[in-house]
Amino acid sequence: MTLSQIATINAGYPFRGAIAEKATSAILAVQMRDTSESGGIHWHTCTATTPTGKREPQWLQEGDILIAARGNRYYAVLVKDIPPNTVALAAPQFYVVRTLAKALLPEFLMWQLNQPPCQRYLDKNSEGTSSKSIRASVLADLPIIVPSLEKQRTILALNALILKERKAAQALIHNGEQMLASIANDLFTQA
């Protein structure tokens, strides 16, 4: 099964020129700098703006997936927790993927898109040398596996557990480094 068989794929909104800030606007533009693979969309850094392109905006919906169309890694982030009383659209550096199949959880699709098999496919079929990008047709042909909903939920639960353990381990390492830095400072103070 390919991605285009289970989801719609649209390019981000084509702003004319740079995205201009309009502080009073309730429209948020999500740009690459507002996202990270580990943290999703950082709504507080998104630019309040007004659409300037000719195309009718495709407002983001909860459960949409943004895929970075340019760069060295084509990570996917899930659209969730859109701030109240606002609407949002994706910058043209993203593809917006919206699942059509009820048998596929958006969270699972996002997880799958970030896994090595999908990333290898996208990297292998990307274009450019210094500035890589992927075409919509390449994304449309991306092979996708749709296991049972039960298996999707099990995988997501395991992934959440691993992320929690990674966060705890990073906190322990940070605390250990601070303790060692304090010991080093004490040594130099006593010398």
Side-chain angles (χ1 to χ4, degrees):
M1 184 175 293
T2 64
L3 184 59
S4 64
Q5 292 175 307
I6 55 169
T8 61
I9 303 166
N10 291 296
Y13 185 76
F15 284 91
R16 286 184 176 179
I19 298 175
E21 183 172 352
K22 186 174 181 185
T24 57
S25 177
I27 299 170
L28 299 176
V30 181
Q31 302 176 69
M32 298 279 281
R33 67 180 185 204
D34 305 316
T35 64
S36 65
E37 187 176 336
S38 59
I41 299 173
H42 309 290
W43 292 107
H44 65 283
T45 64
C46 293
T47 304
T49 190
T50 54
T52 56
K54 292 182 179 178
R55 196 177 86 189
E56 190 68 25
Q58 178 192 13
W59 306 117
L60 297 177
Q61 296 179 4
E62 300 277 334
D64 284 348
I65 297 168
L66 303 183
I67 299 177
R70 299 177 190 157
N72 292 323
R73 182 157 166 77
Y74 308 103
Y75 63 90
V77 296
L78 185 68
V79 175
K80 63 179 184 177
D81 303 326
I82 298 173
N85 304 317
T86 63
V87 291
L89 44 81
Q93 296 84 14
F94 290 107
Y95 287 113
V96 180
V97 174
R98 185 168 294 163
T99 59
L100 300 172
K102 292 184 179 179
L104 179 63
L105 300 172
E107 297 87 352
F108 179 78
L109 178 58
M110 180 204 70
W111 174 83
Q112 189 174 161
L113 290 168
N114 286 323
Q115 297 310 302
C118 288
Q119 289 296 311
R120 277 194 299 272
Y121 168 87
L122 294 173
D123 189 51
K124 181 180 174 187
N125 293 289
S126 65
E127 296 178 346
T129 50
S130 61
S131 178
K132 291 181 162 184
S133 63
I134 51 172
R135 290 179 183 240
S137 59
V138 167
L139 195 56
D141 292 339
L142 175 67
I144 294 294
I145 306 298
V146 183
S148 69
L149 286 171
E150 181 183 352
K151 191 165 188 177
Q152 291 178 46
R153 289 187 181 103
T154 301
I155 291 169
L156 289 172
L158 180 60
N159 187 55
L161 180 64
I162 290 170
L163 292 176
K164 186 177 177 181
E165 288 178 354
R166 179 180 296 149
K167 190 173 181 180
Q170 288 171 338
L172 283 173
I173 291 169
H174 178 72
N175 289 343
E177 289 172 344
Q178 284 191 323
M179 185 176 72
L180 285 174
S182 178
I183 290 170
N185 284 336
D186 287 346
L187 287 175
F188 280 98
T189 304
Q190 294 169 4

